[in-house]
Amino acid sequence: MATTTNQVFIAVIGAGGVGKCFLSQLATLATRRPTPKLSLCYISSSKKAVFNSDYSIGIENALQELASSSKQPLSLPQLADHLAAAPSKAIIVDNTSSQDVADAYPLFLSRGISIVTPNKKAFSGSYKLWQDIFTAAATAGSRVYHESSVGAGLPVISTLKDLVDTGDEVTKIEGVFSGTMSFLFNSFAPVEGSGGQWSAEVKKAKELGYTEPDPRDDLNGLDVARKLTILARLAGLPVESPTSFPVQSLIPKELETVSSGDEFLEKLPGFDSQMEETKSAAEKQGKVVRFVGSIDVASKSVKVGLEMFDKSHPIAALKGSDNIISFYTKRYGSNPLIIQGAGAGGDVTAMGVTSDLIKVLSQIA
Ligand SMILES: NC(=O)C1=CN([C@@H]2O[C@H](COP(=O)(O)OP(=O)(O)OC[C@H]3O[C@@H](n4cnc5c(N)ncnc54)[C@H](OP(=O)(O)O)[C@@H]3O)[C@@H](O)[C@H]2O)C=CC1
Ligand SMILES: N[C@@H](CC=O)C(=O)O
Ligand code: NA
């Protein structure tokens, strides 16, 4: 195969809502920026994969090829070997929510393969995995970026890193960190009007591509807890895991043991009255309820759950899947640096992944 030194090989793991949007943005990037030449060399879902000895797959037809492929995905060590043997540098784009893929990041990075991803699992798993990832990258000179793991494409992680790297002291981070929860409460308990039925809004959030593959991972608060774990670690708190602080779950007790996400969604309408009670309790005080999180750096406390807000509060007035994230720092004083905008959805999430890819390209190519 003819290669140029100015060529980078891209392996895409996961071609769901975010993965499909990423491929479309990759096609645009490859056209707009001919150098380095971007070659898609691997694409997989959980059951199928496309790869060949030429390390070359047409980006435009990749999804059709994947759908009709009879090849199984490579195991993660095999994928590391395949990419380490590529004629030039390789980058993995992990568009899954898989813990197994996340656990293999130290292996990939130690083989010189860079990673960009919206997957939260690697950065919010054990603190040891976090350390192993950044040690492997520093040792091998590979890069790892994960902007879309918090606030989708919103510049949350890059902003926090910039604050810390320039010597500011972050004292508190608070806000709405879930596109799904934002959408649910904005439509179920709006500031004006009566709002929809809780379970129907949950189904809509899934159809809109806002939820995790299993929406229970949003409703149990763990998705927000993962994001706060990532931000707390970046702000200097070595949080052990997303279950090492208080997290409120919105899963009805009676549904905690159902076996699948589909069965959960089927049964959820039977428990709408529970969320109606929460909504009425806030209404009686002239307020609305919202799902929020906060990190207090000085007291080392992190928490996730429901809170009531006056209808005039910026958190109450959010629209759609918007996140709002306030950084309180020594430099910014009592007026926080605030980031607001869509916090879920395929295109906006893929934007964060593609812009991370551009950063990695500028550093390795
Ligand atoms: N959707 C959003 O708004 C946002 C999503 N994210 C994150 O982006 C990631 C992707 O989300 P989304 O696209 O919505 O999820 P989807 O469920 O739509 O897609 C997930 C994809 O990953 C594939 N997959 C799962 N496990 C593996 C595996 N072990 N190997 C290969 N492929 C695998 C699935 O394959 P199959 O189809 O065969 O099951 C599917 O193609 C998640 O980590 C999510 O947390 C982050 C910010 C916002
Ligand atoms: N399910 C998540 C997706 C983005 O991280 C959310 O709703 O925020
Ligand atoms: Na982000």
Side-chain angles (χ1 to χ4, degrees):
M1 178 183 63
T3 55
T4 66
T5 47
N6 222 345
Q7 182 171 19
V8 175
F9 293 93
I10 313 284
V12 176
I13 314 181
V18 176
K20 288 189 174 80
C21 294
F22 169 76
L23 281 172
S24 148
Q25 294 179 20
L26 180 65
T28 306
L29 182 65
T31 314
R32 292 218 176 131
R33 292 192 177 203
T35 315
K37 180 173 163 30
L38 299 179
S39 297
L40 182 64
C41 70
Y42 181 89
I43 179 164
S44 68
S45 63
S46 63
K47 295 181 189 67
K48 295 177 171 195
V50 182
F51 53 96
N52 53 46
S53 54
D54 274 354
Y55 288 87
S56 170
I57 304 165
I59 299 173
E60 309 285 352
N61 298 324
L63 288 172
Q64 290 96 304
E65 277 197 54
L66 181 62
S68 60
S69 175
S70 53
K71 279 186 183 157
Q72 294 214 328
L74 294 172
S75 70
L76 297 166
Q78 282 170 338
L79 179 59
D81 287 342
H82 182 64
L83 297 178
S88 186
K89 290 197 170 154
I91 302 173
I92 285 180
V93 184
D94 171 16
N95 289 318
T96 74
S97 60
S98 160
Q99 185 69 56
D100 289 344
V101 178
D103 288 342
Y105 287 4
L107 167 68
F108 294 132
L109 292 162
S110 67
R111 304 284 306 266
I113 303 157
S114 295
I115 296 173
V116 297
T117 185
N119 184 353
K120 290 151 233 167
K121 300 270 167 73
F123 312 97
S124 59
S126 70
Y127 196 64
K128 181 178 181 311
L129 178 58
W130 168 274
Q131 287 173 315
D132 288 350
I133 286 170
F134 293 103
T135 304
T139 309
S142 43
R143 304 288 194 272
V144 54
Y145 281 87
H146 54 103
E147 180 56 80
S148 283
S149 64
V150 180
L154 297 177
V156 177
I157 289 185
S158 54
T159 300
L160 177 54
K161 278 187 182 165
D162 286 346
L163 288 168
V164 172
D165 289 347
T166 58
D168 202 352
E169 208 179 290
V170 179
T171 52
K172 195 167 67 170
I173 306 172
E174 64 182 18
V176 171
F177 297 85
S178 162
T180 297
M181 291 293 202
S182 187
F183 172 82
L184 290 178
F185 284 98
N186 298 339
S187 40
F188 164 72
V191 171
E192 277 167 26
S194 55
Q197 183 198 5
W198 177 254
S199 56
E201 298 302 333
V202 173
K203 273 193 185 144
K204 262 191 234 165
K206 181 163 171 52
E207 282 156 17
L208 287 165
Y210 297 158
T211 67
E212 292 305 293
D214 183 336
R216 291 176 295 179
D217 289 339
D218 294 286
L219 294 178
N220 65 12
L222 194 55
D223 178 76
V224 173
R226 288 189 182 285
K227 291 166 180 165
L228 291 188
T229 299
I230 296 170
L231 295 181
R233 287 173 176 175
L234 289 171
L237 288 183
V239 171
E240 180 45 42
S241 81
T243 52
S244 55
F245 50 85
V247 177
Q248 184 176 1
S249 169
L250 303 186
I251 307 267
K253 281 249 166 305
E254 300 82 343
L255 296 183
E256 272 172 359
T257 54
V258 298
S259 57
S260 72
D262 287 342
E263 186 189 346
F264 171 77
L265 285 176
E266 228 170 78
K267 293 190 169 156
L268 191 58
F271 300 89
D272 277 341
S273 58
Q274 296 185 5
M275 285 307 296
E276 286 294 340
E277 278 168 29
T278 305
K279 175 170 152 177
S280 308
E283 273 168 359
K284 277 186 194 133
Q285 297 183 41
K287 297 188 178 193
V288 290
V289 65
R290 296 290 184 262
F291 199 84
V292 295
S294 65
I295 301 164
D296 189 294
V297 179
S299 64
K300 298 188 175 147
S301 69
V302 185
K303 60 179 182 174
V304 172
L306 290 172
E307 279 182 30
M308 289 189 228
F309 291 88
D310 286 334
K311 291 183 176 175
S312 59
H313 194 284
I315 284 183
L318 289 178
K319 300 273 184 284
S321 72
D322 279 7
N323 287 182
I324 182 167
I325 296 164
S326 301
F327 291 103
Y328 289 85
T329 78
K330 205 169 174 188
R331 203 180 275 150
Y332 277 82
S334 52
N335 291 344
L337 185 167
I338 299 173
I339 296 172
Q340 180 175 344
D347 269 324
V348 293
T349 305
M351 184 275 275
V353 179
T354 311
S355 60
D356 278 350
L357 176 66
I358 293 169
K359 283 185 188 145
V360 174
L361 290 173
S362 73
Q363 293 169 28
I364 67 165

